[in-house]
Amino acid sequence: MAPFKIFAMAGSMMLPAFVVPAAKAAEPAASTTAQSDALDPAKVEVARQIIATGYPVDKREAIFSNAIDAMLVQMRSTMLSSLKNDPGAEKLVNTKVDSFIGESKTILNGHIPALMDAMAQAYSREFSLAELAELKAFASTPTGQHFFLRNSAVLSDPSFRAANEAYMRELMPTIDKMREAIIRDLTAYFAKHPPKPSSGS
C-alpha cells in the first residue's frame, strides 16, 4: 500500500507545483486549438524573455530537482510513518522510491525546454502585453531574479512544510478509499469485459 500512496501522491502533488500554467491543456480540444491559434507573437516573445531571465537555462534543472526533493521529503514523512516500526520494509520502499525519483528526474530534464516554452505561451495568454512588460522589468531586477530562482524554495520552508504535511495526512484516507474503489470496480468490470491488448503491444 505504501508504494502506491507514494506514486499516486508524487503525480498529484509534484506536477501542479511545476506546470500549473499548462493546466489549460486539459480543456476541450476545440478550445485548446482556438487558444493556440490565438497566440500573439509579440506577447509570446516578451513571455519567453521573462522565462529566459527568470529561469536561466543553466539553473533550470536544479530548480525542478530541488522542488521534487522538497516535496519528496514531505511525502516520505507522512506516507512512511506506518512503516517506522519495520526498518526492513521502510528501507525497501525508500530504495524503490529513490530509484523511481532518479529515473523521473532524468525524464523530466528532457522535457524542461518544452515545459519552459509552454509556460511562456501560457503567460502570453494569461497576461496583457503591458503586464508582460512589467513582469519582464521585474524579472530583470535583483529582487525579481531572487523571486524566480528561489520561489520553489518555499516548498521547503518549515511553515509550508508543516501545513502541507497536515494536508497530506488528512488526504491519505481519501486516497485509500479511491484506490479500493478503483480496484473493486475494475475487478468487477473486467470480469464482464476482459481487458483487450493495448494498441502498443
PDB file of all heavy atoms in Angstrom, residues 8-49:
ATOM      1  N   ALA A   8       1.129   7.691  -6.244  1.00  0.00           N
ATOM      2  CA  ALA A   8      -0.087   8.457  -6.524  1.00  0.00           C
ATOM      3  C   ALA A   8       0.091   9.904  -6.121  1.00  0.00           C
ATOM      4  O   ALA A   8      -0.277  10.829  -6.852  1.00  0.00           O
ATOM      5  CB  ALA A   8      -1.275   7.842  -5.774  1.00  0.00           C
ATOM      6  N   MET A   9       0.658  10.121  -4.951  1.00  0.00           N
ATOM      7  CA  MET A   9       0.842  11.483  -4.476  1.00  0.00           C
ATOM      8  C   MET A   9       1.951  12.187  -5.241  1.00  0.00           C
ATOM      9  O   MET A   9       1.912  13.401  -5.431  1.00  0.00           O
ATOM     10  CB  MET A   9       1.164  11.487  -2.981  1.00  0.00           C
ATOM     11  CG  MET A   9      -0.030  11.140  -2.113  1.00  0.00           C
ATOM     12  SD  MET A   9      -1.375  12.291  -2.328  1.00  0.00           S
ATOM     13  CE  MET A   9      -0.661  13.766  -1.596  1.00  0.00           C
ATOM     14  N   ALA A  10       2.945  11.436  -5.687  1.00  0.00           N
ATOM     15  CA  ALA A  10       4.020  12.057  -6.462  1.00  0.00           C
ATOM     16  C   ALA A  10       3.447  12.733  -7.693  1.00  0.00           C
ATOM     17  O   ALA A  10       3.821  13.848  -8.040  1.00  0.00           O
ATOM     18  CB  ALA A  10       5.058  11.007  -6.866  1.00  0.00           C
ATOM     19  N   GLY A  11       2.527  12.049  -8.347  1.00  0.00           N
ATOM     20  CA  GLY A  11       1.914  12.642  -9.530  1.00  0.00           C
ATOM     21  C   GLY A  11       0.998  13.790  -9.196  1.00  0.00           C
ATOM     22  O   GLY A  11       1.013  14.822  -9.861  1.00  0.00           O
ATOM     23  N   SER A  12       0.185  13.627  -8.144  1.00  0.00           N
ATOM     24  CA  SER A  12      -0.812  14.653  -7.844  1.00  0.00           C
ATOM     25  C   SER A  12      -0.228  15.889  -7.193  1.00  0.00           C
ATOM     26  O   SER A  12      -0.773  16.980  -7.324  1.00  0.00           O
ATOM     27  CB  SER A  12      -1.888  14.066  -6.913  1.00  0.00           C
ATOM     28  OG  SER A  12      -1.323  13.707  -5.670  1.00  0.00           O
ATOM     29  N   MET A  13       0.897  15.749  -6.494  1.00  0.00           N
ATOM     30  CA  MET A  13       1.464  16.894  -5.792  1.00  0.00           C
ATOM     31  C   MET A  13       2.576  17.583  -6.571  1.00  0.00           C
ATOM     32  O   MET A  13       2.702  18.803  -6.535  1.00  0.00           O
ATOM     33  CB  MET A  13       2.029  16.448  -4.437  1.00  0.00           C
ATOM     34  CG  MET A  13       0.966  15.973  -3.470  1.00  0.00           C
ATOM     35  SD  MET A  13      -0.225  17.260  -3.083  1.00  0.00           S
ATOM     36  CE  MET A  13       0.839  18.437  -2.253  1.00  0.00           C
ATOM     37  N   MET A  14       3.414  16.817  -7.272  1.00  0.00           N
ATOM     38  CA  MET A  14       4.564  17.420  -7.933  1.00  0.00           C
ATOM     39  C   MET A  14       4.190  18.164  -9.206  1.00  0.00           C
ATOM     40  O   MET A  14       4.622  19.277  -9.432  1.00  0.00           O
ATOM     41  CB  MET A  14       5.603  16.347  -8.267  1.00  0.00           C
ATOM     42  CG  MET A  14       6.281  15.762  -7.044  1.00  0.00           C
ATOM     43  SD  MET A  14       7.454  14.501  -7.525  1.00  0.00           S
ATOM     44  CE  MET A  14       7.965  13.891  -5.918  1.00  0.00           C
ATOM     45  N   LEU A  15       3.377  17.524 -10.030  1.00  0.00           N
ATOM     46  CA  LEU A  15       3.074  18.139 -11.312  1.00  0.00           C
ATOM     47  C   LEU A  15       2.475  19.529 -11.183  1.00  0.00           C
ATOM     48  O   LEU A  15       2.933  20.457 -11.850  1.00  0.00           O
ATOM     49  CB  LEU A  15       2.142  17.225 -12.116  1.00  0.00           C
ATOM     50  CG  LEU A  15       1.868  17.653 -13.549  1.00  0.00           C
ATOM     51  CD1 LEU A  15       3.177  17.748 -14.329  1.00  0.00           C
ATOM     52  CD2 LEU A  15       0.930  16.688 -14.235  1.00  0.00           C
ATOM     53  N   PRO A  16       1.463  19.734 -10.317  1.00  0.00           N
ATOM     54  CA  PRO A  16       0.926  21.088 -10.206  1.00  0.00           C
ATOM     55  C   PRO A  16       1.973  22.094  -9.764  1.00  0.00           C
ATOM     56  O   PRO A  16       1.905  23.265 -10.135  1.00  0.00           O
ATOM     57  CB  PRO A  16      -0.178  20.934  -9.149  1.00  0.00           C
ATOM     58  CG  PRO A  16      -0.561  19.504  -9.204  1.00  0.00           C
ATOM     59  CD  PRO A  16       0.730  18.778  -9.504  1.00  0.00           C
ATOM     60  N   ALA A  17       2.920  21.652  -8.969  1.00  0.00           N
ATOM     61  CA  ALA A  17       3.928  22.588  -8.475  1.00  0.00           C
ATOM     62  C   ALA A  17       4.811  23.135  -9.578  1.00  0.00           C
ATOM     63  O   ALA A  17       5.343  24.230  -9.471  1.00  0.00           O
ATOM     64  CB  ALA A  17       4.803  21.899  -7.416  1.00  0.00           C
ATOM     65  N   PHE A  18       4.962  22.364 -10.671  1.00  0.00           N
ATOM     66  CA  PHE A  18       5.882  22.767 -11.730  1.00  0.00           C
ATOM     67  C   PHE A  18       5.198  23.327 -12.965  1.00  0.00           C
ATOM     68  O   PHE A  18       5.704  24.247 -13.588  1.00  0.00           O
ATOM     69  CB  PHE A  18       6.736  21.570 -12.179  1.00  0.00           C
ATOM     70  CG  PHE A  18       7.355  20.845 -11.044  1.00  0.00           C
ATOM     71  CD1 PHE A  18       7.356  19.470 -10.998  1.00  0.00           C
ATOM     72  CD2 PHE A  18       7.930  21.545  -9.998  1.00  0.00           C
ATOM     73  CE1 PHE A  18       7.931  18.801  -9.935  1.00  0.00           C
ATOM     74  CE2 PHE A  18       8.506  20.874  -8.941  1.00  0.00           C
ATOM     75  CZ  PHE A  18       8.504  19.503  -8.910  1.00  0.00           C
ATOM     76  N   VAL A  19       4.056  22.753 -13.311  1.00  0.00           N
ATOM     77  CA  VAL A  19       3.476  23.124 -14.601  1.00  0.00           C
ATOM     78  C   VAL A  19       2.026  23.569 -14.468  1.00  0.00           C
ATOM     79  O   VAL A  19       1.192  23.270 -15.308  1.00  0.00           O
ATOM     80  CB  VAL A  19       3.574  21.949 -15.605  1.00  0.00           C
ATOM     81  CG1 VAL A  19       5.000  21.716 -15.996  1.00  0.00           C
ATOM     82  CG2 VAL A  19       2.950  20.676 -15.044  1.00  0.00           C
ATOM     83  N   VAL A  20       1.711  24.299 -13.412  1.00  0.00           N
ATOM     84  CA  VAL A  20       0.365  24.829 -13.250  1.00  0.00           C
ATOM     85  C   VAL A  20      -0.078  25.630 -14.464  1.00  0.00           C
ATOM     86  O   VAL A  20      -1.220  25.531 -14.892  1.00  0.00           O
ATOM     87  CB  VAL A  20       0.272  25.701 -11.980  1.00  0.00           C
ATOM     88  CG1 VAL A  20      -1.045  26.449 -11.939  1.00  0.00           C
ATOM     89  CG2 VAL A  20       0.394  24.816 -10.740  1.00  0.00           C
ATOM     90  N   PRO A  21       0.795  26.470 -15.075  1.00  0.00           N
ATOM     91  CA  PRO A  21       0.351  27.234 -16.240  1.00  0.00           C
ATOM     92  C   PRO A  21      -0.118  26.368 -17.400  1.00  0.00           C
ATOM     93  O   PRO A  21      -0.815  26.850 -18.287  1.00  0.00           O
ATOM     94  CB  PRO A  21       1.596  28.023 -16.634  1.00  0.00           C
ATOM     95  CG  PRO A  21       2.365  28.155 -15.370  1.00  0.00           C
ATOM     96  CD  PRO A  21       2.149  26.832 -14.673  1.00  0.00           C
ATOM     97  N   ALA A  22       0.267  25.100 -17.418  1.00  0.00           N
ATOM     98  CA  ALA A  22      -0.135  24.232 -18.519  1.00  0.00           C
ATOM     99  C   ALA A  22      -1.486  23.577 -18.277  1.00  0.00           C
ATOM    100  O   ALA A  22      -1.940  22.775 -19.091  1.00  0.00           O
ATOM    101  CB  ALA A  22       0.918  23.144 -18.741  1.00  0.00           C
ATOM    102  N   ALA A  23      -2.164  23.933 -17.187  1.00  0.00           N
ATOM    103  CA  ALA A  23      -3.431  23.285 -16.845  1.00  0.00           C
ATOM    104  C   ALA A  23      -4.486  23.477 -17.920  1.00  0.00           C
ATOM    105  O   ALA A  23      -5.384  22.654 -18.073  1.00  0.00           O
ATOM    106  CB  ALA A  23      -3.956  23.834 -15.513  1.00  0.00           C
ATOM    107  N   LYS A  24      -4.414  24.562 -18.687  1.00  0.00           N
ATOM    108  CA  LYS A  24      -5.418  24.813 -19.713  1.00  0.00           C
ATOM    109  C   LYS A  24      -5.383  23.753 -20.801  1.00  0.00           C
ATOM    110  O   LYS A  24      -6.308  23.651 -21.599  1.00  0.00           O
ATOM    111  CB  LYS A  24      -5.212  26.196 -20.327  1.00  0.00           C
ATOM    112  CG  LYS A  24      -5.518  27.321 -19.349  1.00  0.00           C
ATOM    113  CD  LYS A  24      -5.426  28.674 -20.016  1.00  0.00           C
ATOM    114  CE  LYS A  24      -5.767  29.800 -19.048  1.00  0.00           C
ATOM    115  NZ  LYS A  24      -5.679  31.124 -19.697  1.00  0.00           N
ATOM    116  N   ALA A  25      -4.317  22.970 -20.839  1.00  0.00           N
ATOM    117  CA  ALA A  25      -4.230  21.918 -21.851  1.00  0.00           C
ATOM    118  C   ALA A  25      -5.300  20.863 -21.633  1.00  0.00           C
ATOM    119  O   ALA A  25      -5.601  20.076 -22.532  1.00  0.00           O
ATOM    120  CB  ALA A  25      -2.844  21.263 -21.817  1.00  0.00           C
ATOM    121  N   ALA A  26      -5.886  20.821 -20.435  1.00  0.00           N
ATOM    122  CA  ALA A  26      -6.911  19.833 -20.127  1.00  0.00           C
ATOM    123  C   ALA A  26      -8.287  20.256 -20.629  1.00  0.00           C
ATOM    124  O   ALA A  26      -9.240  19.501 -20.510  1.00  0.00           O
ATOM    125  CB  ALA A  26      -6.977  19.600 -18.612  1.00  0.00           C
ATOM    126  N   GLU A  27      -8.415  21.442 -21.188  1.00  0.00           N
ATOM    127  CA  GLU A  27      -9.694  21.908 -21.689  1.00  0.00           C
ATOM    128  C   GLU A  27     -10.042  21.172 -22.969  1.00  0.00           C
ATOM    129  O   GLU A  27      -9.201  20.530 -23.591  1.00  0.00           O
ATOM    130  CB  GLU A  27      -9.628  23.420 -21.944  1.00  0.00           C
ATOM    131  CG  GLU A  27      -9.440  24.219 -20.664  1.00  0.00           C
ATOM    132  CD  GLU A  27      -9.351  25.714 -20.926  1.00  0.00           C
ATOM    133  OE1 GLU A  27      -9.453  26.106 -22.105  1.00  0.00           O
ATOM    134  OE2 GLU A  27      -9.192  26.464 -19.955  1.00  0.00           O
ATOM    135  N   PRO A  28     -11.315  21.227 -23.419  1.00  0.00           N
ATOM    136  CA  PRO A  28     -11.719  20.535 -24.643  1.00  0.00           C
ATOM    137  C   PRO A  28     -10.822  20.887 -25.820  1.00  0.00           C
ATOM    138  O   PRO A  28     -10.305  21.991 -25.924  1.00  0.00           O
ATOM    139  CB  PRO A  28     -13.155  21.045 -24.855  1.00  0.00           C
ATOM    140  CG  PRO A  28     -13.633  21.377 -23.477  1.00  0.00           C
ATOM    141  CD  PRO A  28     -12.416  21.920 -22.767  1.00  0.00           C
ATOM    142  N   ALA A  29     -10.678  19.951 -26.741  1.00  0.00           N
ATOM    143  CA  ALA A  29      -9.756  20.129 -27.853  1.00  0.00           C
ATOM    144  C   ALA A  29     -10.055  21.377 -28.661  1.00  0.00           C
ATOM    145  O   ALA A  29      -9.154  22.103 -29.063  1.00  0.00           O
ATOM    146  CB  ALA A  29      -9.803  18.890 -28.762  1.00  0.00           C
ATOM    147  N   ALA A  30     -11.311  21.661 -28.922  1.00  0.00           N
ATOM    148  CA  ALA A  30     -11.659  22.822 -29.730  1.00  0.00           C
ATOM    149  C   ALA A  30     -11.189  24.102 -29.078  1.00  0.00           C
ATOM    150  O   ALA A  30     -10.648  24.997 -29.717  1.00  0.00           O
ATOM    151  CB  ALA A  30     -13.168  22.864 -29.956  1.00  0.00           C
ATOM    152  N   SER A  31     -11.390  24.187 -27.753  1.00  0.00           N
ATOM    153  CA  SER A  31     -10.978  25.381 -27.025  1.00  0.00           C
ATOM    154  C   SER A  31      -9.468  25.518 -27.040  1.00  0.00           C
ATOM    155  O   SER A  31      -8.928  26.599 -27.230  1.00  0.00           O
ATOM    156  CB  SER A  31     -11.493  25.313 -25.578  1.00  0.00           C
ATOM    157  OG  SER A  31     -10.996  26.392 -24.826  1.00  0.00           O
ATOM    158  N   THR A  32      -8.761  24.394 -26.819  1.00  0.00           N
ATOM    159  CA  THR A  32      -7.305  24.423 -26.808  1.00  0.00           C
ATOM    160  C   THR A  32      -6.763  24.860 -28.168  1.00  0.00           C
ATOM    161  O   THR A  32      -5.846  25.663 -28.257  1.00  0.00           O
ATOM    162  CB  THR A  32      -6.746  23.029 -26.453  1.00  0.00           C
ATOM    163  OG1 THR A  32      -7.255  22.644 -25.185  1.00  0.00           O
ATOM    164  CG2 THR A  32      -5.231  23.049 -26.417  1.00  0.00           C
ATOM    165  N   THR A  33      -7.362  24.339 -29.231  1.00  0.00           N
ATOM    166  CA  THR A  33      -6.921  24.707 -30.571  1.00  0.00           C
ATOM    167  C   THR A  33      -7.126  26.190 -30.819  1.00  0.00           C
ATOM    168  O   THR A  33      -6.261  26.881 -31.353  1.00  0.00           O
ATOM    169  CB  THR A  33      -7.683  23.883 -31.626  1.00  0.00           C
ATOM    170  OG1 THR A  33      -7.457  22.505 -31.395  1.00  0.00           O
ATOM    171  CG2 THR A  33      -7.237  24.267 -33.027  1.00  0.00           C
ATOM    172  N   ALA A  34      -8.276  26.687 -30.397  1.00  0.00           N
ATOM    173  CA  ALA A  34      -8.569  28.097 -30.590  1.00  0.00           C
ATOM    174  C   ALA A  34      -7.564  28.958 -29.854  1.00  0.00           C
ATOM    175  O   ALA A  34      -7.103  29.981 -30.351  1.00  0.00           O
ATOM    176  CB  ALA A  34      -9.989  28.400 -30.111  1.00  0.00           C
ATOM    177  N   GLN A  35      -7.211  28.540 -28.633  1.00  0.00           N
ATOM    178  CA  GLN A  35      -6.244  29.302 -27.853  1.00  0.00           C
ATOM    179  C   GLN A  35      -4.876  29.289 -28.528  1.00  0.00           C
ATOM    180  O   GLN A  35      -4.198  30.297 -28.579  1.00  0.00           O
ATOM    181  CB  GLN A  35      -6.130  28.725 -26.443  1.00  0.00           C
ATOM    182  CG  GLN A  35      -7.340  29.041 -25.565  1.00  0.00           C
ATOM    183  CD  GLN A  35      -7.147  28.528 -24.156  1.00  0.00           C
ATOM    184  OE1 GLN A  35      -6.286  27.684 -23.907  1.00  0.00           O
ATOM    185  NE2 GLN A  35      -7.933  29.016 -23.238  1.00  0.00           N
ATOM    186  N   SER A  36      -4.474  28.126 -29.055  1.00  0.00           N
ATOM    187  CA  SER A  36      -3.183  28.035 -29.712  1.00  0.00           C
ATOM    188  C   SER A  36      -3.140  28.955 -30.926  1.00  0.00           C
ATOM    189  O   SER A  36      -2.152  29.622 -31.189  1.00  0.00           O
ATOM    190  CB  SER A  36      -2.914  26.584 -30.131  1.00  0.00           C
ATOM    191  OG  SER A  36      -2.837  25.748 -28.994  1.00  0.00           O
ATOM    192  N   ASP A  37      -4.242  28.974 -31.695  1.00  0.00           N
ATOM    193  CA  ASP A  37      -4.297  29.821 -32.878  1.00  0.00           C
ATOM    194  C   ASP A  37      -4.287  31.300 -32.508  1.00  0.00           C
ATOM    195  O   ASP A  37      -3.897  32.144 -33.313  1.00  0.00           O
ATOM    196  CB  ASP A  37      -5.567  29.517 -33.683  1.00  0.00           C
ATOM    197  CG  ASP A  37      -5.524  28.120 -34.292  1.00  0.00           C
ATOM    198  OD1 ASP A  37      -4.417  27.552 -34.396  1.00  0.00           O
ATOM    199  OD2 ASP A  37      -6.594  27.609 -34.654  1.00  0.00           O
ATOM    200  N   ALA A  38      -4.724  31.607 -31.281  1.00  0.00           N
ATOM    201  CA  ALA A  38      -4.852  32.998 -30.880  1.00  0.00           C
ATOM    202  C   ALA A  38      -3.581  33.557 -30.260  1.00  0.00           C
ATOM    203  O   ALA A  38      -3.585  34.689 -29.786  1.00  0.00           O
ATOM    204  CB  ALA A  38      -6.017  33.139 -29.895  1.00  0.00           C
ATOM    205  N   LEU A  39      -2.500  32.790 -30.242  1.00  0.00           N
ATOM    206  CA  LEU A  39      -1.260  33.272 -29.649  1.00  0.00           C
ATOM    207  C   LEU A  39      -0.791  34.549 -30.348  1.00  0.00           C
ATOM    208  O   LEU A  39      -0.742  34.616 -31.572  1.00  0.00           O
ATOM    209  CB  LEU A  39      -0.163  32.215 -29.738  1.00  0.00           C
ATOM    210  CG  LEU A  39      -0.259  31.038 -28.749  1.00  0.00           C
ATOM    211  CD1 LEU A  39       0.809  30.002 -29.067  1.00  0.00           C
ATOM    212  CD2 LEU A  39      -0.123  31.524 -27.333  1.00  0.00           C
ATOM    213  N   ASP A  40      -0.433  35.531 -29.538  1.00  0.00           N
ATOM    214  CA  ASP A  40       0.087  36.793 -30.051  1.00  0.00           C
ATOM    215  C   ASP A  40       1.611  36.695 -30.079  1.00  0.00           C
ATOM    216  O   ASP A  40       2.246  36.623 -29.022  1.00  0.00           O
ATOM    217  CB  ASP A  40      -0.371  37.932 -29.151  1.00  0.00           C
ATOM    218  CG  ASP A  40       0.087  39.292 -29.642  1.00  0.00           C
ATOM    219  OD1 ASP A  40       1.109  39.365 -30.353  1.00  0.00           O
ATOM    220  OD2 ASP A  40      -0.566  40.297 -29.299  1.00  0.00           O
ATOM    221  N   PRO A  41       2.222  36.683 -31.255  1.00  0.00           N
ATOM    222  CA  PRO A  41       3.686  36.537 -31.337  1.00  0.00           C
ATOM    223  C   PRO A  41       4.443  37.555 -30.500  1.00  0.00           C
ATOM    224  O   PRO A  41       5.475  37.224 -29.893  1.00  0.00           O
ATOM    225  CB  PRO A  41       3.962  36.729 -32.833  1.00  0.00           C
ATOM    226  CG  PRO A  41       2.698  36.329 -33.505  1.00  0.00           C
ATOM    227  CD  PRO A  41       1.603  36.792 -32.584  1.00  0.00           C
ATOM    228  N   ALA A  42       3.956  38.784 -30.446  1.00  0.00           N
ATOM    229  CA  ALA A  42       4.642  39.819 -29.664  1.00  0.00           C
ATOM    230  C   ALA A  42       4.602  39.481 -28.182  1.00  0.00           C
ATOM    231  O   ALA A  42       5.611  39.633 -27.469  1.00  0.00           O
ATOM    232  CB  ALA A  42       3.997  41.181 -29.922  1.00  0.00           C
ATOM    233  N   LYS A  43       3.462  38.991 -27.708  1.00  0.00           N
ATOM    234  CA  LYS A  43       3.337  38.618 -26.301  1.00  0.00           C
ATOM    235  C   LYS A  43       4.173  37.386 -25.982  1.00  0.00           C
ATOM    236  O   LYS A  43       4.804  37.310 -24.919  1.00  0.00           O
ATOM    237  CB  LYS A  43       1.862  38.381 -25.956  1.00  0.00           C
ATOM    238  CG  LYS A  43       1.013  39.641 -26.002  1.00  0.00           C
ATOM    239  CD  LYS A  43      -0.462  39.333 -25.862  1.00  0.00           C
ATOM    240  CE  LYS A  43      -0.806  38.742 -24.518  1.00  0.00           C
ATOM    241  NZ  LYS A  43      -2.267  38.496 -24.377  1.00  0.00           N
ATOM    242  N   VAL A  44       4.182  36.430 -26.895  1.00  0.00           N
ATOM    243  CA  VAL A  44       4.975  35.218 -26.675  1.00  0.00           C
ATOM    244  C   VAL A  44       6.460  35.562 -26.571  1.00  0.00           C
ATOM    245  O   VAL A  44       7.181  35.023 -25.727  1.00  0.00           O
ATOM    246  CB  VAL A  44       4.746  34.198 -27.810  1.00  0.00           C
ATOM    247  CG1 VAL A  44       5.720  33.028 -27.682  1.00  0.00           C
ATOM    248  CG2 VAL A  44       3.313  33.689 -27.788  1.00  0.00           C
ATOM    249  N   GLU A  45       6.915  36.491 -27.408  1.00  0.00           N
ATOM    250  CA  GLU A  45       8.324  36.881 -27.390  1.00  0.00           C
ATOM    251  C   GLU A  45       8.698  37.502 -26.052  1.00  0.00           C
ATOM    252  O   GLU A  45       9.740  37.172 -25.471  1.00  0.00           O
ATOM    253  CB  GLU A  45       8.606  37.869 -28.525  1.00  0.00           C
ATOM    254  CG  GLU A  45      10.039  38.398 -28.544  1.00  0.00           C
ATOM    255  CD  GLU A  45      11.087  37.308 -28.659  1.00  0.00           C
ATOM    256  OE1 GLU A  45      10.784  36.242 -29.238  1.00  0.00           O
ATOM    257  OE2 GLU A  45      12.207  37.501 -28.152  1.00  0.00           O
ATOM    258  N   VAL A  46       7.852  38.387 -25.528  1.00  0.00           N
ATOM    259  CA  VAL A  46       8.132  39.006 -24.233  1.00  0.00           C
ATOM    260  C   VAL A  46       8.081  37.946 -23.132  1.00  0.00           C
ATOM    261  O   VAL A  46       8.922  37.929 -22.223  1.00  0.00           O
ATOM    262  CB  VAL A  46       7.137  40.142 -23.926  1.00  0.00           C
ATOM    263  CG1 VAL A  46       7.406  40.722 -22.540  1.00  0.00           C
ATOM    264  CG2 VAL A  46       7.235  41.233 -24.985  1.00  0.00           C
ATOM    265  N   ALA A  47       7.100  37.055 -23.230  1.00  0.00           N
ATOM    266  CA  ALA A  47       6.976  35.989 -22.231  1.00  0.00           C
ATOM    267  C   ALA A  47       8.216  35.098 -22.231  1.00  0.00           C
ATOM    268  O   ALA A  47       8.694  34.684 -21.170  1.00  0.00           O
ATOM    269  CB  ALA A  47       5.729  35.158 -22.504  1.00  0.00           C
ATOM    270  N   ARG A  48       8.744  34.800 -23.406  1.00  0.00           N
ATOM    271  CA  ARG A  48       9.960  33.985 -23.478  1.00  0.00           C
ATOM    272  C   ARG A  48      11.157  34.712 -22.875  1.00  0.00           C
ATOM    273  O   ARG A  48      12.036  34.085 -22.276  1.00  0.00           O
ATOM    274  CB  ARG A  48      10.241  33.600 -24.938  1.00  0.00           C
ATOM    275  CG  ARG A  48       9.316  32.494 -25.449  1.00  0.00           C
ATOM    276  CD  ARG A  48       9.490  32.232 -26.922  1.00  0.00           C
ATOM    277  NE  ARG A  48       8.679  31.074 -27.340  1.00  0.00           N
ATOM    278  CZ  ARG A  48       8.291  30.855 -28.587  1.00  0.00           C
ATOM    279  NH1 ARG A  48       8.647  31.694 -29.550  1.00  0.00           N
ATOM    280  NH2 ARG A  48       7.560  29.792 -28.877  1.00  0.00           N
ATOM    281  N   GLN A  49      11.173  36.021 -23.014  1.00  0.00           N
ATOM    282  CA  GLN A  49      12.240  36.805 -22.397  1.00  0.00           C
ATOM    283  C   GLN A  49      12.130  36.746 -20.871  1.00  0.00           C
ATOM    284  O   GLN A  49      13.146  36.687 -20.168  1.00  0.00           O
ATOM    285  CB  GLN A  49      12.178  38.245 -22.891  1.00  0.00           C
ATOM    286  CG  GLN A  49      12.518  38.407 -24.370  1.00  0.00           C
ATOM    287  CD  GLN A  49      12.255  39.814 -24.884  1.00  0.00           C
ATOM    288  OE1 GLN A  49      12.033  40.742 -24.105  1.00  0.00           O
ATOM    289  NE2 GLN A  49      12.280  39.990 -26.203  1.00  0.00           N
TER     290      GLN A  49
END
